[in-house]
Amino acid sequence: MSTQSLPLRRDEATARAGLLTIEDYDVRLDLASSEETFGSVTTIRFTSKGGPTFVDLKPVSVARISLNGSPVDPATLAKGRLPITTLEGANELVVEATMPFRNDGEGLHRSVDPADGRAYVYGMCFMDAAPTIFACFDQPDLKAPYTFHVTAPRDWTVIGNAPGTQTSPGEWEFERSQPLSTYFVTLVAGPWHMIHDEHDGIPLSLSSRQSIAADLDKDAEELFTLTKQCFDEFHRLFGIRYPFGNYHQAFVPEFNAGAMENPGCVTFRDPLVFTSRVTRGMRIQRATTVAHEMAHQWFGDLVTPQWWDDLWLNESFAEYMGNRVTADVTQYDDAWADMSYARRQWGLTADQRGSTHSVAGNGAEDAVSALQNFDGISYSKGSAILRQLAASLGDDVFFAGAIDHFTRHRFGNATMHDLFGSWASAAAAAGVEFDLDTFTSQWLLTAGPDTLSWDPAKMVVNRTAPSLHPANRSHTFRAAILNGTQWTVEDITVTGDQTPLQVAANAVVLDPYDDTWAAAIPDWETVQALKGALPSITDGGLRAGVWNNLRSAWFNAAVDPADVIDIAEASLPIEDVEDSPRRTMPWLFGSVVPLAPAGARERLHEAALRKLEEVPPGSELQLSAYRTAIRSASSESLLREWLAAPPAGIETDLDLRWRILAKLAENGFASREELHAAYDAEPANDARIHLNGALVSIPDAESKAYGWSVFTGETDLPNYDILAAGRAFWTGPAELTAGYVERYFSELPATAEKRSGWSLAEAAEAFFPSGSVTEETLAAARAVVQLDLDPGVRRRVSDAADNLQRQLAVKVTYPRR
């Protein structure tokens, strides 16, 4: 489905905010009458200075519109905008429309669980999807209270931003909410499995699909404990109680983001309800996500950015506080090390590309442009810089400024300058001297990271500023020094282009604990030493820092793929084994192995098999090694053996079964019939996603044609399935997919006729021919971004082209032997 509309320009938002004050919304939704659409009646009461403006509305059809009792012609609605002329003083707009259920993770998303045929609905209004649910003035600084009335099937439960009750079978009435920006409004509706609790006067609840109810029950105690610990810590740090009544956490299917901080009703992607065995890293990720979204209840929800250019501050603050609180008060005291694996490179690579941008001050002339800069810089880099700021100001000043900010702008909107003004006042009151203007200029308004490297011959640390974004930043961080077999840690402050570091060392790892923001690149001698030294490192933070150093070197063509394989072979399994594309193992197999000397995959496979023999049965290291062995396997007999009987200590759950089936399919050992039979035996959302990926990975023309139909939109699949198909498409012999490389670039623009928003951009990235590491593919990518593409598509393809250019640099610098 495509929901094309005009993006809201900043000048338009400023004008509309100057004209209107929204008193409240009353929204009536009928979710019971159709499986494809729903009825929506919106009443907006507002005051105006009088004059023309427009309402945001993206319906399937319109039945009636009235303004102050007079009809408005629905035919005037164009490109998502309904022009109206307001009276001076009080106004009332009523819009009765039919709206679309969507399957792309935006708007009101409807999903049918293949496990039992039950349907579930949830709302995702970020960034401009609210008008596909209700008529609205869709911008962050026109906050208003909402009152919802919902008709739903009788066996459904409906949850919203404010407490609600079922007044009669299928009829739900909700209390008037606190003032909300449109992008925070949500409903989750369906035959949910519900669990309730309470803490410190706050009603708590969790929900999931019925088919994964047992899995939610299994983890409910941990989730509630995390929630209670985080609430206590945020109340202690902020001194302001959670202000939105109930706190519901809904685990919903096919969610695009990790989670969304809707006040009172936070939505999470439901793979975070673990239906298969996961490692500690995945549990840390879930815990930090819980804490991250809770931090937003203050920073983002209670006080909201005036415009999208300050959205970075929402995410940077929540990222920092989520990691900090998780590490400080939950069982996951190693959260910072895991986040180093999971998030550090996301920000550093984004900050080194041609599309880099400053953390703050991007302008963002329209909402769509702002979204393009909503990336690893907004999250990872911004979080790192706020961490540095908190260390520089001290907690007393840092939190005093935040509390002042929350108090001054409670239930309103504010800018970065408002927050920094509060910090400056708090610093002055405490007698703390800190140059916030210079800090802001150097770290928040200047794009790109410095590069740090160790020169063992001169015994200096070199600091190189990005050539296009010069700066003079000082860095204070810890360096890990290897002398013989002994690691020590030394504090260092880098203030110039060369800073002495006089040490006797076999290896020097700069900034392994993420104390500053820079791309640290290891020297050749350190890389060689790590081949023997890394396996014995027990410090999780240092191990993460080593891999970040290596990945930064790879991104800059400063490390030989052969050396990376040597280190990986000696050090498998790497701790961050979950399959998020940002973590180390997908990078190792997806980027390094294809450019490494022949036999690299086989070497890693043998290393994983050896580890399986060495580690205790049932341990996380065993699970990690097993996953790596499956990923790298090419033997049908071994995969079939594991499918029938896994190693002792391993239970073949749905996730592992489909990992094996997918690998069999990719190698041409599993038929379509076998894959469909496996799905029919255990239908589930996760299984369906695995099935579509496996079907596309089969190395024959029919499978690739099916995958291509997903890319073009001829075959309509939900968002997760599209990504699975894209990631599987380019597997198999290169000659099988070679003809699709040119087709990707020629047919990419037309995909905007089938999809929009997040799903459109994600599909463009997932199907990008990243394995075609040639000058011709790079030239084609550079050419297509000059066309009139959707901005999200242009950004994803531009970044993919940057990755491809860097892969080419590695290929040229270190020819494959």
Side-chain angles (χ1 to χ4, degrees):
M1 171 196 154
S2 179
T3 54
Q4 300 300 323
S5 60
L6 289 174
L8 180 67
R9 298 196 316 269
R10 185 171 193 162
D11 60 337
E12 294 173 321
T14 300
R16 193 161 63 172
L19 182 71
L20 306 177
T21 300
I22 315 303
E23 302 300 329
D24 62 33
Y25 285 82
D26 186 275
V27 182
R28 295 182 177 274
L29 301 181
D30 181 0
L31 309 182
S33 58
S34 168
E35 295 182 355
E36 297 181 354
T37 60
F38 59 95
S40 173
V41 180
T42 308
T43 301
I44 313 175
R45 286 174 281 268
F46 60 96
T47 59
S48 174
K49 295 177 180 177
T53 188
F54 61 91
V55 177
D56 299 290
L57 180 63
K58 303 174 187 178
V60 173
S61 62
V62 176
R64 177 178 65 92
I65 305 174
S66 68
L67 177 62
N68 300 320
S70 299
V72 177
D73 185 359
T76 61
L77 176 66
K79 294 187 176 181
R81 296 183 174 188
L82 176 72
I84 60 173
T85 300
T86 66
L87 300 175
E88 184 175 358
N91 290 257
E92 182 177 276
L93 177 74
V94 180
V95 177
E96 183 177 347
T98 299
M99 298 296 199
F101 283 123
R102 299 172 65 170
N103 72 343
D104 59 0
E106 299 184 64
L108 208 54
H109 180 103
R110 185 178 187 274
S111 174
V112 176
D113 189 343
D116 55 21
R118 291 182 169 109
Y120 297 88
V121 166
Y122 63 87
M124 176 59 164
C125 288
F126 180 85
M127 152 182 295
D128 58 355
T132 65
I133 302 176
F134 55 93
C136 57
F137 298 104
D138 191 22
Q139 60 190 71
D141 60 344
L142 284 176
K143 282 184 162 182
Y146 288 77
T147 304
F148 270 81
H149 321 266
V150 179
T151 300
R154 293 189 172 200
D155 63 334
W156 282 20
T157 298
V158 185
I159 306 107
N161 299 102
T165 57
Q166 185 171 206
T167 56
S168 63
E171 300 295 329
W172 294 79
E173 296 289 331
F174 290 84
E175 297 177 13
R176 194 174 197 249
S177 75
Q178 297 284 11
L180 306 176
S181 297
T182 46
Y183 78 97
F184 292 135
V185 177
T186 195
L187 284 172
V188 294
W192 302 103
H193 173 62
M194 299 285 299
I195 309 175
H196 296 274
D197 202 344
E198 182 275 340
H199 179 65
D200 194 21
I202 303 169
L204 307 177
S205 52
L206 308 169
S207 64
S208 74
R209 291 177 286 126
Q210 291 288 347
S211 65
I212 58 174
D215 300 292
L216 183 63
D217 288 344
K218 181 178 58 182
D219 280 357
E221 182 178 355
E222 178 178 324
L223 286 165
F224 278 134
T225 298
L226 289 169
T227 302
K228 295 170 185 178
Q229 290 169 329
C230 291
F231 262 133
D232 288 346
E233 182 68 354
F234 282 122
H235 285 160
R236 184 185 74 82
L237 293 172
F238 296 151
I240 297 172
R241 283 186 58 79
Y242 168 70
F244 295 105
N246 296 359
Y247 195 71
H248 180 71
Q249 296 175 98
F251 294 88
V252 299
E254 299 161 0
F255 198 68
N256 284 324
M260 180 64 197
E261 64 268 21
N262 316 299
C265 185
V266 178
T267 42
F268 298 82
R269 55 168 53 213
D270 72 4
L272 290 176
V273 176
F274 303 135
T275 58
S276 295
R277 186 180 171 195
V278 297
T279 63
R280 181 177 176 85
M282 197 64 193
R283 292 189 177 277
I284 293 173
Q285 180 178 324
R286 183 173 70 182
T288 56
T289 303
V290 167
H292 177 114
E293 303 310 320
M294 194 177 293
H296 272 310
Q297 304 303 306
W298 287 265
F299 215 107
D301 296 5
L302 180 63
V303 180
T304 306
Q306 185 172 313
W307 180 244
W308 300 114
D309 61 330
D310 275 335
L311 192 61
W312 73 271
L313 197 51
N314 270 19
E315 298 306 338
S316 298
F317 191 90
E319 184 88 350
Y320 168 58
M321 292 305 303
N323 294 340
R324 171 177 169 154
V325 168
T326 301
D328 286 352
V329 303
T330 79
Q331 64 176 300
Y332 300 112
D333 55 1
D334 51 342
W336 282 115
D338 187 77
M339 287 301 102
S340 184
Y341 279 120
R343 312 283 269 190
R344 182 77 168 178
Q345 287 298 316
W346 180 34
L348 277 173
T349 56
D351 207 19
Q352 295 173 82
R353 292 194 178 107
S355 60
T356 187
H357 54 86
S358 58
V359 177
N362 297 301
E365 293 308 310
D366 62 65
V368 173
S369 298
L371 184 59
Q372 307 324 308
N373 288 335
F374 189 54
D375 55 15
I377 296 171
S378 307
Y379 285 81
S380 181
K381 181 179 182 180
S383 167
I385 291 171
L386 287 184
R387 190 181 181 187
Q388 291 174 224
L389 179 62
S392 299
L393 292 176
D395 271 2
D396 288 347
V397 170
F398 185 82
F399 287 109
I403 291 166
D404 181 67
H405 183 70
F406 299 148
T407 303
R408 287 176 181 270
H409 307 286
R410 184 179 177 88
F411 294 122
N413 299 83
T415 68
M416 177 188 84
H417 301 291
D418 294 322
L419 174 62
F420 276 65
S422 291
W423 273 327
S425 296
V432 173
E433 293 186 7
F434 184 76
D435 189 347
L436 270 169
D437 290 340
T438 298
F439 181 88
T440 300
S441 173
Q442 293 289 332
W443 292 101
L444 295 173
L445 297 178
T446 303
D450 292 343
T451 299
L452 300 175
S453 60
W454 157 249
D455 184 337
K458 297 180 179 179
M459 287 200 176
V460 296
V461 174
N462 294 310
R463 182 198 67 181
T464 305
S467 58
L468 296 179
H469 307 281
N472 183 25
R473 291 176 284 231
S474 64
H475 300 267
T476 298
F477 57 88
R478 287 165 285 178
I481 315 297
L482 177 65
N483 188 349
T485 60
Q486 183 68 38
W487 287 95
T488 58
V489 174
E490 184 162 330
D491 293 334
I492 181 172
T493 296
V494 172
T495 56
D497 292 340
Q498 289 192 332
T499 299
L501 181 61
Q502 301 287 332
V503 293
N506 307 91
V508 173
V509 179
L510 301 178
D511 192 30
Y513 302 105
D514 303 341
D515 295 316
T516 190
W517 183 258
I521 296 179
D523 64 281
W524 184 86
E525 291 181 4
T526 292
V527 170
Q528 304 312 308
L530 288 171
K531 295 177 184 181
L534 182 56
S536 62
I537 295 176
T538 58
D539 180 337
L542 177 55
R543 288 181 67 88
V546 166
W547 282 109
N548 276 319
N549 272 231
L550 290 169
R551 291 186 66 175
S552 288
W554 174 269
F555 197 69
N556 290 280
V559 66
D560 192 327
D563 288 332
V564 178
I565 295 299
D566 287 346
I567 294 170
E569 182 182 22
S571 304
L572 283 178
I574 300 167
E575 291 88 339
D576 61 334
V577 296
E578 305 302 338
D579 283 334
S580 162
R582 298 179 191 139
R583 289 178 178 260
T584 309
M585 294 299 285
W587 163 76
L588 182 65
F589 281 97
S591 297
V592 180
V593 167
L595 300 184
R601 183 178 297 273
E602 291 76 12
R603 287 171 57 196
L604 295 181
H605 180 68
E606 291 300 320
L609 292 179
R610 288 194 298 273
K611 186 62 69 172
L612 272 176
E613 296 295 322
E614 298 169 5
V615 297
S619 66
E620 286 200 5
L621 281 176
Q622 184 197 32
L623 178 63
S624 303
Y626 187 50
R627 288 178 175 177
T628 303
I630 294 169
R631 183 196 287 268
S632 54
S634 59
S635 164
E636 180 179 12
S637 61
L638 179 61
L639 289 166
R640 295 279 177 200
E641 176 185 331
W642 282 340
L643 194 60
I650 298 286
E651 179 181 345
T652 304
D653 52 27
L654 184 145
D655 175 70
L656 288 174
R657 182 177 301 109
W658 276 102
R659 286 175 187 258
I660 296 171
L661 287 167
K663 184 56 63 172
L664 285 166
E666 180 185 328
N667 287 318
F669 301 142
S671 67
R672 294 172 185 83
E673 293 74 18
E674 180 181 7
L675 297 173
H676 281 290
Y679 173 74
D680 291 341
E682 192 176 3
N685 266 9
D686 289 353
R688 188 200 65 226
I689 296 161
H690 283 300
L691 170 67
N692 274 304
L695 289 172
V696 172
S697 73
I698 294 173
D700 64 27
E702 180 182 346
S703 292
K704 300 308 176 184
Y706 169 67
W708 200 249
S709 74
V710 174
F711 172 64
T712 62
E714 178 185 349
T715 297
D716 184 23
L717 293 178
N719 46 354
Y720 284 15
D721 300 64
I722 294 169
L723 297 184
R727 290 164 183 162
F729 183 81
W730 300 100
T731 59
E735 57 269 20
L736 189 63
T737 54
Y740 286 102
V741 175
E742 182 178 346
R743 289 183 64 182
Y744 172 85
F745 297 107
S746 63
E747 297 177 37
L748 174 68
T751 59
E753 299 172 9
K754 299 289 186 179
R755 303 185 183 100
S756 64
W758 195 309
S759 186
L760 173 65
E762 290 267 275
E765 180 180 6
F767 277 91
F768 185 88
S770 56
S772 179
V773 187
T774 67
E775 292 287 355
E776 293 76 14
T777 302
L778 179 59
R782 288 172 168 167
V784 79
V785 297
Q786 302 303 315
L787 302 179
D788 184 23
L789 296 178
D790 171 270
V793 171
R794 179 181 292 108
R795 177 60 177 272
R796 298 296 183 100
V797 175
S798 175
D799 287 350
D802 184 274
N803 288 342
L804 191 59
Q805 180 181 1
R806 292 171 184 277
Q807 292 284 96
L808 275 168
V810 173
K811 187 176 180 180
V812 169
T813 307
Y814 306 101
R816 184 168 176 171
R817 299 187 291 277

